[in-house]
Amino acid sequence: MTSTPFPFTAVVGQDDLRLALLLNAVSPAVGGVLVRGEKGTAKSTAVRALSALLPPVAVVPGCRFSCAPDAPDPGCPDGPHEPGTGTRRPARMVELPVGASEDRLVGALDIERALAEGVKAFEPGLLADAHRGILYVDEVNLLHDHLVDLLLDAAAMGASYVEREGVSVRHASKFLLVGTMNPEEGELRPQLLDRFGLTVEVAASREPDQRVEVVRRRLAHDDDPAGFAARWAGEEADVRARIVAARELLPSVVLGDAALRQIAATCAAFEVDGMRADIVMARTATALAAWAGRTDVLAEDVRQAALLALPHRRRRNPFDAPGLDEDKLDETLDEFGDQGDDDPDPDPDPGPDGPGGGGRPPEQGPEDGAGDAGPPPEAGTGDDPGPAPAGGGAGERSAVRPAEPYRTKVLSVPGLGEGTAGRRSRARTEHGRTTGDRRPRGALTKLHLAATVRAAAPHQRERGRAGRGLVVRRDDLRQATREGREGNLVLFVVDASGSMAARQRMSAVKGAVLSLLLDAYQRRDKVGLVTFRGSAADVALPPTSSVDAAAARLESLPTGGRTPLAAGLLKAHEVLRVERLRDPARRALVVVVTDGRATGGVEPVALAGRAARLFAAEGTASVVVDCESGPIRLGLAGQLAGELGGTAVTLDELRADSIAGLVKDVRETGSRRAA
């Protein structure tokens, strides 16, 4: 990595991304930017380049929290500061790694000194470093939930709080929040999406000339970073000056009643939740006017603000692709517009590249956004997003759409795990209810106050305690052990053979799997999909955090042919073996969706039984979703569940509102059978 960043103005295309970043530079109150897009689309390059365009900031000399000298934070841990003349330094861009700890983000409080001396010895974290600058989170969708919550709370309140057993530290933390993500690797929860002010979709250009220019500039920068930056210094200076001018003009911009009516009507028409969208749109429209050098907000500003602030707030579940119906948007703006002759400039200049400025999020074509769960291709068109399932032939039937998803019963892995934080199975985690204590291994993160006092109390006389304070040594400190929930790998093994091919039946089966996928998304699981039919099994989707990709593979899944159940189970066993090497702490839950029949080959039923017993021998948790229907039931799915050491549940029992009970611990049935 070179020490000279790629110039912001040298980024080819990506007008929406650049405009959204510049609007936040003009008005940080807009609330940050979430950049969604495929890999290799200059997301990180543009964000890192923005910091060079921000005006320098004046700070109190020696303050670790970047207090402004003319208005220092009265609660600054390094204060109090007297107002006066400060020093100027460049605006910072602080990067939050995906694997960062909570202490690294918010800072660490020295609990030992706090208890023994009553002082707040505080080591600032990244939220303090980013104050009055940029906080950048690459792959924000992979960040742990509790870190995302802390991050977005600080962004909303403008302050960070560290609370440890009654001892608290607060400091100002106002920053431009920018997150980037590849939707193929999983989505953010809708309530967290809403906390980002703007969102943009980016994709690589399909125009050969533009791609050539991207490569040409990248190679030129890599060969001579300083010389390349010098060639773009004039353009950089112009944009930097424009940001300063827009910031100065911003307080003078008037948001009239007509524009406010359009904003409110647009948010109501698109049925966004809450009022945050209205506020963000108002701030964005105001910033657009300032960026264009105007003091009045026009209808075009409102339209552009809607295209940047509303698409991600339209999602109701992870299978919805973000976006807006632009015809509906125009109709709403026309209906509630009252600009009349007060709109002298129908084509403002909100962006650095001339009229239009790129406020329209690019619409993804069939080659873009592989992780987004848009409408699936019709069967038979050749556009199946996944590899063609093995064993197709004359008996193959076209894909049927799944039934409507529903809320499912909770399926969990038995025992106590130590995997990635999530919401499915019991686990030892950093967050949750306190269940005990232990001596800290390394840095103390969660103090067990009562246990620490008990450990220190017997030694107070020999330590010469004289006053009311408790004399605490390092050996007295106790780490709280907590129990919460973990995310699991939910591996679906779906029977797509001819015995499942009745359209109504397969629609119900797909609806059940889609419901379980939605449940996996809400519980922060990884998912994988193995299908079997004809003569072999196929890994339709390797383990991933992108449940919408799994939904797309499922919806386009055709059926027909024999039932190679053993092949499906063996393929699933191999997938789990490889995944344990990659992620050994994440426990697996295998969900086999079948009627239990096995055909093809020599002794298919016995072979399937032997394959199933491999899972039982390794203690892999499993559930068989029994899809058998009709008046005559063979009970083969129940037998398969017994071989797996798991439990069987019918499609009806899978529903959360079903009268029939579902065993939450997927091995409880096996325990009762053994007893």
Side-chain angles (χ1 to χ4, degrees):
M1 182 176 179
T2 62
S3 57
T4 304
F6 195 90
F8 185 86
T9 51
V11 174
V12 179
Q14 307 299 9
D15 295 334
D16 302 303
L17 170 58
R18 291 191 292 158
L19 178 61
L21 291 171
L22 289 169
L23 292 177
N24 274 272
V26 170
S27 176
V30 166
V33 186
L34 176 65
V35 187
R36 295 164 43 91
E38 57 196 22
K39 52 188 175 291
T41 49
K43 300 189 299 293
S44 300
T45 298
V47 174
R48 293 189 174 101
L50 179 67
S51 61
L53 298 179
L54 297 181
V57 294
V59 297
V60 173
C63 178
R64 298 174 297 166
F65 302 88
S66 301
C67 282
D70 55 342
D73 179 12
C76 176
D78 282 356
H81 304 300
E82 293 295 330
T85 303
T87 60
R88 299 180 70 82
R89 63 161 176 78
R92 292 174 180 161
M93 196 205 74
V94 177
E95 189 162 350
L96 172 61
V98 168
S101 65
E102 180 179 338
D103 285 347
R104 184 72 186 99
L105 176 62
V106 300
L109 191 66
D110 191 328
I111 299 296
E112 184 175 0
R113 290 189 63 192
L115 289 175
E117 304 174 29
V119 298
K120 296 178 181 178
F122 182 69
E123 183 65 29
L126 296 177
L127 290 179
D129 294 342
H131 182 43
R132 305 174 68 199
I134 301 173
L135 182 61
Y136 172 48
V137 190
D138 193 15
E139 306 295 354
V140 65
N141 51 325
L142 303 183
L143 202 63
H144 288 175
D145 281 359
H146 69 281
L147 293 182
V148 174
D149 291 339
L150 290 169
L151 176 65
L152 296 180
D153 283 345
M157 296 185 296
S160 175
Y161 294 84
V162 181
E163 303 282 348
R164 294 286 172 82
E165 306 296 345
V167 181
S168 64
V169 171
R170 174 216 165 270
H171 64 83
S173 183
K174 297 180 180 179
F175 47 83
L176 168 56
L177 175 63
V178 182
T180 57
M181 59 175 283
N182 183 349
E184 293 179 350
E185 298 173 339
E187 290 285 356
L188 278 174
R189 301 194 308 270
Q191 59 268 40
L192 298 184
L193 279 172
D194 184 58
R195 300 297 291 272
F196 283 92
L198 309 179
T199 186
V200 291
E201 298 279 337
V202 296
S205 172
R206 300 305 186 233
E207 293 294 330
D209 290 344
Q210 195 170 72
R211 296 176 74 96
V212 166
E213 187 61 24
V214 169
V215 175
R216 182 181 290 119
R217 293 186 187 183
R218 183 77 255 179
L219 295 178
H221 175 264
D222 292 346
D223 290 342
D224 182 11
F228 185 82
R231 291 196 293 275
W232 288 89
E235 288 83 351
E236 294 281 286
D238 290 344
V239 174
R240 191 178 299 111
R242 189 172 175 182
I243 292 174
V244 173
R247 283 187 173 186
E248 294 174 350
L249 183 62
L250 187 65
S252 303
V253 176
V254 177
L255 183 65
D257 290 343
L260 278 172
R261 281 196 301 272
Q262 287 182 316
I263 290 170
T266 301
C267 293
F270 286 99
E271 300 178 348
V272 296
D273 296 331
M275 294 297 298
R276 183 175 285 119
D278 303 63
I279 297 170
V280 171
M281 273 191 65
R283 289 171 173 165
T284 304
T286 303
L288 279 162
W291 178 246
R294 290 183 274 101
T295 57
D296 56 335
V297 174
L298 306 181
E300 180 60 25
D301 298 326
V302 176
R303 185 183 192 278
Q304 202 139 34
L307 291 172
L308 292 171
L310 296 188
H312 60 302
R313 294 183 167 90
R314 290 278 296 145
R315 305 190 74 197
R316 291 296 183 265
N317 66 63
F319 312 134
D320 292 338
L324 286 184
D325 181 340
E326 294 194 35
D327 291 336
K328 181 178 179 180
L329 173 60
D330 291 334
E331 291 173 4
T332 303
L333 293 175
D334 290 342
E335 180 181 355
F336 290 89
D338 190 21
Q339 298 284 345
D341 295 333
D342 295 330
D343 187 358
D345 184 6
D347 189 17
D349 178 16
D353 295 327
R360 173 182 175 133
E363 296 180 0
Q364 291 184 332
E367 298 177 27
D368 300 333
D372 292 336
E378 293 297 326
T381 63
D383 292 332
D384 186 349
E396 179 176 310
R397 304 190 187 185
S398 61
V400 298
R401 289 188 175 277
E404 284 297 315
Y406 48 83
R407 190 166 61 90
T408 65
K409 294 282 190 179
V410 179
L411 304 176
S412 62
V413 178
L416 196 62
E418 295 183 349
T420 303
R423 298 181 175 185
R424 183 172 297 279
S425 304
R426 294 173 54 223
R428 298 182 184 92
T429 63
E430 288 294 317
H431 299 269
R433 62 185 182 89
T434 301
T435 58
D437 65 272
R438 60 173 174 80
R439 292 182 181 274
R441 305 184 189 106
L444 178 70
T445 57
K446 297 292 181 181
L447 178 74
H448 194 300
L449 182 58
T452 299
V453 171
R454 286 197 303 269
H459 309 290
Q460 296 305 295
R461 186 185 298 274
E462 63 188 71
R463 292 176 183 174
R465 173 183 170 184
R468 299 178 61 183
L470 189 68
V471 182
V472 178
R473 303 281 173 80
R474 175 69 187 175
D475 290 343
D476 301 326
L477 299 179
R478 295 295 182 268
Q479 174 86 21
T481 57
R482 301 191 174 192
E483 181 178 312
R485 294 282 170 177
E486 67 177 0
N488 299 118
L489 166 60
V490 182
L491 181 61
F492 294 93
V493 185
V494 180
D495 185 346
S497 65
S499 67
M500 304 280 287
R503 294 187 68 85
Q504 184 175 359
R505 183 181 180 192
M506 197 61 196
S507 177
V509 169
K510 286 188 175 183
V513 178
L514 194 64
S515 302
L516 290 167
L517 281 171
L518 184 58
D519 181 68
Y521 166 78
Q522 294 167 339
R523 299 185 187 281
R524 311 300 288 169
D525 296 315
K526 290 179 71 174
V527 297
L529 178 62
V530 172
T531 64
F532 59 93
R533 68 184 183 93
S535 60
D538 176 64
V539 181
L541 185 72
T544 176
S545 296
S546 180
V547 296
D548 51 347
R553 302 296 193 272
L554 174 73
E555 193 161 0
S556 60
L557 176 68
T559 57
R562 295 181 180 272
T563 312
L565 177 57
L569 294 175
L570 290 173
K571 181 69 73 174
H573 186 267
E574 175 64 16
V575 169
L576 292 184
R577 185 189 67 80
V578 174
E579 192 63 19
R580 286 192 193 101
L581 298 176
R582 295 174 177 167
D583 193 355
R586 189 183 292 268
R587 298 186 296 165
L589 172 62
V590 178
V591 180
V592 185
V593 185
T594 182
D595 57 10
R597 298 182 183 182
T599 59
V602 180
E603 298 184 342
V605 176
L607 187 60
R610 288 198 293 272
R613 287 192 287 275
L614 293 175
F615 294 88
E618 295 174 350
T620 303
S622 60
V623 174
V624 177
V625 179
D626 185 356
C627 303
E628 191 173 27
S629 61
I632 301 177
R633 302 180 65 87
L634 303 178
L636 297 175
Q639 295 177 25
L640 176 62
E643 300 278 10
L644 287 165
T647 187
V649 54
T650 66
L651 289 174
D652 288 339
E653 291 171 336
L654 192 62
R655 291 180 177 270
D657 55 359
S658 172
I659 297 176
L662 176 65
V663 181
K664 290 186 178 180
D665 186 331
V666 296
R667 301 183 71 190
E668 187 173 325
T669 298
S671 300
R672 289 202 304 267
R673 188 181 295 112

